[in-house]
Amino acid sequence: MTSKLDRHAQQLSALGHPVRLEILRFVVQGGDEGASAGEIQAHVDLPASTLSHHLKRLVEAGLFTTRLEGTFHYYAADYAALRALTEYLWEDCCKRGKGGKGGCC
């Protein structure tokens, strides 16, 4: 079983590529339905094999879900996973008393 730290490190690593971050932002805009691989490909203008690599990485990191409808692959953001990741980043904010002016709290 992976620790919370390992899981979030994997997710941040997956988001640490400009193309994957752009893909995430586009898919998030698609709401619960997400976006088809073709729509994503048109948006980022990548060859299908390169896009497939990036999508696989986001799915493996638990940030996207995927579904097949006929011959179309759809990708949707896992909002619970994204929320857990951002909450993890903020959960210890100002706990050492150094918040001060302009801090996170």
Side-chain angles (χ1 to χ4, degrees):
M1 178 181 244
T2 16
S3 72
K4 182 166 58 167
L5 178 63
D6 290 336
R7 181 178 63 253
H8 291 316
Q10 179 187 17
Q11 291 170 332
L12 289 169
S13 176
L15 293 175
H17 191 285
V19 169
R20 287 192 290 270
L21 192 54
E22 182 179 3
I23 290 168
L24 173 75
R25 290 180 57 84
F26 181 75
V27 170
V28 164
Q29 293 170 11
D32 291 336
E33 294 301 310
S36 71
E39 292 172 318
I40 299 167
Q41 184 178 16
H43 178 74
V44 294
D45 192 29
L46 289 175
S49 60
T50 304
L51 176 63
S52 177
H53 161 77
H54 289 301
L55 291 170
K56 180 181 177 189
R57 183 83 189 270
L58 292 163
V59 169
E60 287 175 348
L63 297 170
F64 278 7
T65 60
T66 182
R67 72 183 188 283
L68 185 61
E69 289 185 14
T71 58
F72 295 95
H73 288 268
Y74 288 85
Y75 295 86
D78 184 330
Y79 294 106
L82 289 168
R83 210 168 282 113
L85 176 59
T86 56
E87 287 172 0
Y88 174 76
L89 294 172
W90 290 102
E91 74 183 8
D92 293 325
C93 180
C94 303
K95 283 196 175 171
R96 291 190 297 173
K98 296 179 183 173
K101 218 173 193 181
C104 60
C105 301

